Amino acid sequence: MLISARLTSATNLRPALLLSLLVMVFATTSCVTGQTGANAIAAEHGFRKTLADGTRWQHVVFEKEVAAAEHASLHVYIEGDGKPWLDGRYPAPDPTPDYALAMALMALDPGPAIYLGRPCYFGMANSSACEPRLWTSARYSEEVVASMAGVVRRYQHELRIANLVLIGYSGGGALAALLAAELGGGIVLVTVAGNLDTEAWTNSRGYLPLSESLNPVDSVATLAETRQLHLIGGRDEVVPPVVTRSFTSHLGDQSTREYPEFDHRCCWVDAWPAILGTIPDP
């Protein structure tokens, strides 16, 4: 009722002032609803939520049995882009996804794992170093990748882990690929409905170019010796198969697996336990 009253009384305001009020209202509600998916799944499965320092930002990290990772491999899950825009026109005040699919995948993983948040996600959007470009045009930028890589290196050092499995969903697949190129050896790269050619993706969707971002397809040669598995949904309209194939066409056929009946969300969670058994060792 309070929000409704605010909007009703605002109809006589100047357009610029009304837009500012709407952004404030969206910010208020998104802080509640935007985090529900991740927090609910984490609470259900007993994941530990912490803050970890990257090179520039603090990152929200959810940990799953990380103490057991010493001298073993650690699975690092990276979520999709969430909600970068409002109505496709205005930068969102908080890009945190409503449904954390990558965390739902991690909940089915029997081994040690972390869910690595991006800069400014999961309640951090109001931090002083945050600005909308970090979840819009610069969402896959060098500075974002470097900060996330800094968090991963801290975990590697503190847990004495040599081997990593980077698992990225949707836009998180782009970041997983860029992180694999940044971090070097001892890595397996896994993407689920991964946005692995951002130029092909923006062209296919009619979006503005991600002008401040790196394009994962430009790193394909660097990743030639990296073990990889890229999962494609045949009915995916959010990240069409042609986008992922633009990257995987440079790799061997064994690196790609297509599920003809899957779309962008369905049915990766149901299939994940079986898929986990096919991920190559680092």
Side-chain angles (χ1 to χ4, degrees), residues 7 21 69 109 123 133 195 198 200-201 227 255:
L7 293 179
L21 177 60
D109 193 327
R133 56 180 287 273
N195 184 359
T198 57
W201 179 67
R227 292 177 180 266
S255 69

Side-chain angles (χ1 to χ4, degrees), residues 105-188:
L105 299 182
M106 187 173 82
L108 298 171
D109 193 327
I114 63 170
Y115 177 93
L116 174 56
R118 308 186 195 191
C120 310
Y121 279 62
F122 302 104
M124 304 294 287
N126 291 326
S127 301
S128 60
C130 288
E131 52 184 322
R133 56 180 287 273
L134 295 170
W135 54 87
T136 54
S137 62
R139 68 184 76 170
Y140 314 134
S141 63
E142 185 175 354
E143 58 193 323
V144 168
V145 173
S147 193
M148 295 178 74
V151 176
V152 174
R153 289 189 178 104
R154 287 176 185 272
Y155 274 89
Q156 284 188 286
H157 175 73
E158 292 176 7
L159 298 174
R160 292 184 284 178
I161 296 169
N163 299 322
L164 301 167
V165 180
L166 302 179
I167 302 169
Y169 166 66
S170 190
L175 287 168
L178 293 168
L179 278 169
E182 174 78 11
L183 292 167
I187 288 175
V188 173

Side-chain angles (χ1 to χ4, degrees), residues 73 163-168 176-177 179-181 184-191 196 220-230 247-248 251-252 254-256 278-282:
S73 61
N163 299 322
L164 301 167
V165 180
L166 302 179
I167 302 169
L179 278 169
I187 288 175
V188 173
L189 171 62
V190 180
T191 69
L196 300 179
V220 71
T222 304
L223 296 170
E225 302 300 319
T226 300
R227 292 177 180 266
Q228 302 179 48
L229 177 61
H230 302 285
F247 182 98
T248 62
L251 307 171
Q254 71 278 4
S255 69
T256 308
T278 69
I279 293 176
D281 295 326

Side-chain angles (χ1 to χ4, degrees), residues 4 59 62 85 129 136 157 233:
S4 176
H59 298 252
F62 293 87
W85 298 93
T136 54
H157 175 73

Side-chain angles (χ1 to χ4, degrees), residues 15-115:
L17 183 58
L18 178 58
L19 176 59
S20 297
L21 177 60
L22 286 170
V23 170
M24 289 173 63
V25 171
F26 276 116
T28 301
T29 56
S30 67
C31 288
V32 177
T33 61
Q35 298 182 58
T36 302
N39 286 336
I41 296 170
E44 179 183 355
H45 295 278
F47 301 154
R48 178 175 177 264
K49 183 177 180 179
T50 186
L51 289 178
D53 291 330
T55 56
R56 180 178 174 189
W57 296 275
Q58 283 193 313
H59 298 252
V60 173
V61 178
F62 293 87
E63 301 176 348
K64 177 182 178 291
E65 300 177 358
V66 295
E70 187 173 344
H71 306 303
S73 61
L74 179 71
H75 288 192
V76 179
Y77 285 81
I78 305 171
E79 194 60 74
D81 292 344
K83 301 177 297 182
W85 298 93
L86 297 178
D87 298 326
R89 299 178 65 189
Y90 309 108
D94 184 347
T96 302
D98 290 321
Y99 176 51
L101 188 143
M103 184 177 285
L105 299 182
M106 187 173 82
L108 298 171
D109 193 327
I114 63 170
Y115 177 93

